[in-house]
Structure formats: C-alpha cells, structure tokens
Amino acid sequence: MLNVLRLWKVVDLRIPMDLVWLLCIFVLFSGELSLGQSKPNADTVTIGAIFTFTTINGKVAQIAMKAAENDVNADPTFLGGHRLSISMHDSNFSGFLGIIGALQFMETDTVAIIGPQNSGTAHILSHLANELHVPMLSFTALDPMLSPLQYPYFVQTAPSDLFQMMAVADMISYYRWREVVTIYSDDDHSRNGITVLGDQLAERRCDIMYKAALPPDPTATESDVIAELNKIKLMEPRVIILHTYTKTGLLVFDVAKSLGMMESGYVWFATTWLSSVLDSNSSLSSKVADSIRGVLALRLHTPDSKRKADFSARWNSLSNGTIGLNPYGLYAYDTVWMIARAVKMFLDQGNNISFSNDAKLSNVGGGALNLEALSIFDGGKQLLTNVLQTNMNGLSGPIKFNPDRSLVHPSYDVINVLENGYRQIGYWSNYSGLSIVPPEELYAQPPNRSSSNQHLNSVIWPGGTSTKPRGWVFPKNGKQLSIGVPRRVSYRDFVEQVNGTDIAQGYCIDVFLAAIKLLPYAVPHKFILFGDGRKNPSYNELVNEIAADVFDGAVGDIAIVTNRTKIVDFTQPYIESGLVVVVAPVRNLNSSPWAFLRPFTPSMWAVTGVFFLIVGAVVWILEHRINDEFRGSPRKQVITSLWFSFSTMFFAHRENTVSTLGRMVLIIWLFVVLIINSSYTASLTSILTVQQLSSPIRGIDSLIISDSPIGFQVGSFAENYMVEELNIPKSRLISLDSPEDYASALKTGRVAAVVDEKPYIDLFLSNHCQFSIMGQEFTKSGWGFAFPRDSPLAIDMSTAMLTLSENGELQKIHDRWLSRKACGSQNSGAGSDQLHLQSFWGLFLICGVSCAIALVLYLFFVLRKFKEHSHQVSEPSSHGSSRSARLQTFLSFVDRKEDKSRSKSKRKRSQELMNKYGESNLSINGSNRLEIDVSG
C-alpha cells in the first residue's frame, strides 16, 4: 500500500482518494499489479483503447477502430513492415478499471492510447501519459477543461465541448431567450461543460437561472430526476438544456413527459448524446420517441464525401446490423489513421520504437507492485509532434490542428426531433455561426456572424406547435408581482393614491394596465405605494429597491436615464420626455424708445452699414471715369457716393450707372437690400405687437453661466443631472414641491428659472399662462416601466406598448388624463426674435464676391488702356525711371475722364443745343469752344 501511495506521488496524480484506496485494495488482494500480459512482437505497433463497450459510442468506436486497423494493415508496406495492433480494454463505466487498463497498456510497450471515453478518467490518466510520454487521443472525452498546457500528451481528436456550448448559447441568443435551466450529470465532463455554457451565455447577456445536478451516469434513478424536475416546474424559465449521457438523458425525458413538461410552452435542448442515440438506433420504441418529440439537439457535423459514403455502405457488414453509424464512429476511424500516419512519419524519420525504465519508478523500491514494468516511450514526444502536424482528409472531413490544438472549423448540425425521426434545421460553425447553408460552403466567404446573418429553419416545438415558445412563465406558486408605485404629492394626474387607500390611479397606471391586457398570459400583480406621502419620493431609491429584490417592478413617471439602466431593465418609453427651462412672467417690451433697433443684432447692424459703404465705393470706382454724375470736386464725389449708397436702402437713388460692371454690382446689392428690408419689417412688426419675455435667461446655456438660483422638482433626476453633467454648483439648486411652489418661486424671484421634465411643465403651463419655456429641450429621454435585469416581462411589455401606440389607445389614455389648453408654449423660444448675422451671411458673401470680381475686371481693363496710352504718349526719361512718377501718372490716368465718353457727351450736348437754337446761331471759335449767338 505504501508503494501505491508513492506511485501516485511520483506521477503527481490529483485524483479522488476513493480511487487511491480502491487501487490499494486491488494491490493487496492481487499481490502484484501486472496482469500477466506478454511483451508484444517487435514488428507490432501496439495501440491501446479504453472504452465502455456497452455504451452506444463504445460499440460504434470498437467497430470503427477495428475496421481502421484492418485497413491500415491491408497495405503491409504502409508501416514499413510493421503491423498495427489495437488492444481493447472495457472500463465498464468505472474510472478505476480505466486506470487499471491504462497501467496495463504501460506495461506492454504501448505507443499510444485511444480514449478514455470519460473525461473524468482522462484527467487522471493524463498524468500517467505526461510521466511516461505516451500520447492519448480521445474523440469522446471532450471536456473543455482538459487543457493542453496541463496535459500536453492528451489530444482531443473531435471538437471540444467548448464549441458545442458556444453553439447552444448562440441558439439561445438567436431565439431571444434570456434565462435557462440546465440539467447535467455531476461528473467532470458534464459539470465543466455547463460551466463553460454559463460563460458563453453571459457574453450574450443571458443567464443560467438554475443548475440541476443528477448523480453520475448510469447511477441516476427516477426519484432523483423527479425531485429536480419538480423544482424546475415551479421556476419561471421554460428553456431547459440537458447535458448528460444516454441512459440518464432518456430517463429525464421519460419523467418530463409524465410530469407534463414536454407540452407546449417548454423548450428542450439536448447536446450531442441524443443525436448519437438517434443515429445508432434505427427504430426507437414508441415511448421513447414520444418523450423526445420537439427537442432540439446538436450533432457533430461531418461533410459529405465519397470516402464517407463508401464507409457508410460498409457499415452494415462491419456491424452485422447491430448498431447504426454515428459521427463518433467516423472520428474513431480517423483517430486510428492519425496515429498510423504519425507512426509512419516517425519511422520514416529514422526513429525506432523503444522504451526505457523510468528512474523515478525504480527508486520507489520493492513491494508487490511491478513498477519496473512501467516504461517510458522514448519516441513519445516526437510521435506527439507528428500527431499534431496531421493534415489529412478523413471520414469526418479535413483534419488539422490549430496552434491551440483545437481542430480547424468545428461545426455541428442542428436537428429537430419529430414524430418519425428528426429533421435538420440548420448548421452551426465557429466560422459563421448559425446558418441554413453547410459550413464548408461558407469557408470561402468572409466570416460574418452578425445577428442579421444568423438563420435556422422552422421548428416543431414540444406540444406540436410551430410558434416559438415565450421561454418563461410565471411560477406556479401563487406569488403576485410586487409593483412599486411612487406616492406623489404633486402632478397627481400621472400617479396618485386614491383617498388614502392602497389603490393607485393615473395616466401611468392606465398605460400599465392596458399593456398588461395585451399580454398572452396573466400577470398577477399588486401595487405597493412607495413614499411617505408628504413629498415626492426619490425615484433613484425606487429603482434601487427593484435591484435589491424588494419590488418585482416599478410603474410610474420614471425617467429612463443612464445610471438607472445600469441596474434595471426598462420597457419601451410610453411618453417622450426631456428637461426644459421655465422662466419668470412676461411683460410688454414694445414701449421701448429703442425698439426699432431690436430686429437686428449689433453685428448685423455693423455688417450692413459696412456693406453700404463698400458698395458705394465700388460703384464710384466703376463709374468715375465714364459717368459725369460721379465726377467733380472731391467733396462732391464723397457726398454723391454716400448719398447713392444709402439711398439704395429705399430704392430712391437718382444717379444712373453707365458701366456694365457697375450695373451688375448694383443689381446684386438691390436684391440684398430687398431681403434685408423685408426681414427687418417683419421682425419689427412682431416686436411691436407681441409680448416678449423680461427674463435674461434665454435657455440652458445662459442659465449655466449665470449665478441665479435654479428650481427643480423633489425626486426628479434633474438635480443629479445638473450637478453631475452640467457642473452647476449644488448650492444654486432649490427643491420645489408643487406647481404652486414653482409659480411662487418664479414670481418672487426666489429662483430665476425652473428646470423640470416637459410632461410636468406642460401641465404647469396649462394653469400658469404667465410663464414660458425658454429654449429647447436639452435632454432626450422618456418614461418607462422598470423591471429587474434580464426580466422577460420588460420585453413583452415593450411589445404591448408598441401595440398601444399603433392602435391609438396610448393617445386616448394621454388625452383622458393630460389634455389641457396649453397657453405657455406659444412663447416658447422667446429670445430668438432678433435676426442674426448667420441668417444673412450668404447674401453678404454673394455681394462681396461680386464687388471683388467687378473691381478685378475693372482694374484689368484700366491697366490695358493705360498700357496703350503709355505707348502713344512719349514721356520724359526721368519719369520713366521713377516708380512713384509712373504711379502718379497711372492715378492721373484713372482720375481723368475717358476721352471717348467726353467726345460722346460733347456731341450729345451739341445736338441738344442745335435742336434748341438752330444750326445758324452756333459757331466754334479758335479755341474749339462752342459759341452761341443769341442776338436774334
């Protein structure tokens, strides 16, 4: 016994002590561990296999591995003259016997072990494999916790249950269920799988509400199952995930059928154990078939191929018709070939199969244990490397390992059990998620696991219905939902207590009751008033009571804000809301002597005046050389330009524009003046006829920068919002209890403004018309009903309220409670009566650009004429050498009246005089001046 304990210490086995003592008893009675196995022939490559051969997967694996052994040995040259020999060991549901079988294989120079079938045994035997360098390959021990870091010599040759649980979680999310119940066998394999499932569901904002553990298969009894299922019947979730083995799983479905848990409303998911039963049993008993009808199950996906079809055709003769082929049989066949290929590569690399004694075991000492028979496989590390480098097409499809030792492209079939068998409704793969297209067809496309790309075909659920079950119900224990309702003392149209009773009524209550009636199930509930009745309660505290499980929900005028959504779930908003600013009474400002200046802002007045000057200057420049009306003494020209510019305001200018460019600028400017005049007239009319607010507060921005006190409603989120989001000092905030308190505080100046939610303010203004909303809503939110996190009732109530909105019932409830004659909203937005520069900058921009273009063109034409003039007139050389003189000449040329225009004007004047006095009375003197003889 001491030597046994030393053995466990040497190989560092962390196993239950009951297995240690069982092994000790076995050694005491047997005298030695060796079972008398002889050493294999030198030309034989021995592989061990540890399975429970009375199980479905054990039977299928045994037949498939034997077929693979024969196929490998059919070509004597494949292993270079060596023969492959698979030695089978039946663990018979016993982890202890599995350990004994492994020790037996270690004595007989086994190069690899296929199995064990059970993940719990795999955890133990992996320590032996690590010590003796014997690779272990299993396609059934798929526990996600069998880490390659801890167990480097253990290789899973089928997809780990990590991917199976990802598939289940994706289906739960696809059908929009939030809570599930799991039933599993309490062993390493099932327990660890459920743990991983919980992690995957949490990533999708789903949750396992209850985990029902059954005794390890096959020891679970009917009474064990009945006890757990009766607990589950009293719970809300109706989505049940069964992760176990054949015997226990079928027992659970049989009991569930008798308890009425396979009827409409229930959802059952089974992992791959059920698909193995369906594939390997051509005909199930009517009792079993009836108990699993409507179940969804997963099956390892193996793509179609000629090799697979040929093997399936051989299966009948291989099994003698005793059992059907399931995917685990394909993986068993491929696992043998993986080892055979690795051994072939090992031999081709020039290695020899040899074993050596383990010095650690030799030092343990004598006793009854034949520890010297346990030897290390010298080439075990290289053989393991060859296995991990596998890249082949097997019966199960392409086989290749990722760097983390997971198989590439893990995938599953999703099947729906029907009355006469099952129907495949889709696929799941780690690459593309849920799809009705085979995964291998999607591998050539970019991965797309968005929710819009997830699809499954229709399902026949338990009870024979094709309508997706809701997935939860109210527990059948008579408990009513405790719904918290704020006991308001103001704005009682929303929620109020009826005459000191515990009955609540109001707009919010009617919306809730109308939505409840639309649900396809009864919702027993009772209202519980929250608050002391002397002031409005804190809505944050009410929401916190839901998170603390004091209330099952809350109904009332509860704003949906960020800090509350972190701890509870809200329904769809049933009324829009947002914070607004209400200011003091209005007075008439139209008696101000300077009211005529109010239509424009100072910047607008300034820019308008500047443009009058600019346009006058531009027109003068364009007309000066050719238009006599813009010539004369400097004083006259300045006065003419100013008069012309400002007279355009009234379209009263009398000076004619002669140049094309001047006319273009004037037309554009007159259009601008027309728009400005019209806007000014309309705005001034409004100012002189409509009352304006006396408050300097023009909205939330001006309220923030002021030092004025601000009122808010007791219990509202407005206080925290202004302090935390707007950084308004808390000392400026004054709590107000009622609409009358609002009016009094605003009239007396105790507060400069009140900040509250718009539904309250609308009611307030309906009775207090002298106040007004300033600016716009500066938050956008709504009111909703609150429920605990992940409550399915929140989703169903949201759907019901959308229906109320679409059929008009929500508006009818609003009109019944909140319809008032609004008088304050018409002054909303006061303070924006002035016309700002940004409203006209486009017009000014067009005018400015046109002036600039006209000046550039004018300068171009003048320079060209000046250049022509310079060539025609000879100038003194001194002038040509002086830039200042040349500039002076240019300015003189610009200021000079254009000759063509002068001659034309003279001829026009002469013609007028001739018409008036007659041609005989006109003469031209020697100085070319026109003289008139008026003596006659």
Side-chain angles (χ1 to χ4, degrees), residues 873-913:
V873 179
S874 58
E875 297 181 0
S877 59
S878 60
H879 286 190
S881 61
S882 172
R883 290 187 178 180
S884 60
R886 187 170 178 81
L887 177 61
Q888 185 178 357
T889 303
F890 174 72
L891 293 178
S892 298
F893 175 79
V894 171
D895 185 59
R896 186 185 311 160
K897 183 170 175 55
E898 190 172 333
D899 293 340
K900 185 192 316 184
S901 300
R902 184 172 60 219
S903 298
K904 184 177 180 181
S905 176
K906 183 184 292 184
R907 287 195 298 270
K908 181 179 179 182
R909 181 62 177 164
S910 298
Q911 184 65 39
E912 291 175 353
L913 291 173

Side-chain angles (χ1 to χ4, degrees), residues 510-526:
D510 280 5
V511 172
F512 176 78
L513 295 177
I516 286 289
K517 292 178 181 178
L518 294 179
L519 297 181
Y521 50 88
V523 181
H525 64 276
K526 59 180 178 180

Side-chain angles (χ1 to χ4, degrees), residues 537 539 564 579 712-720 756-757 760:
Y539 283 54
R564 295 173 185 171
L579 294 178
F712 68 93
Q713 182 183 177
V714 174
S716 170
F717 78 95
E719 178 184 15
N720 288 338
D756 205 351
E757 296 176 70
Y760 300 125

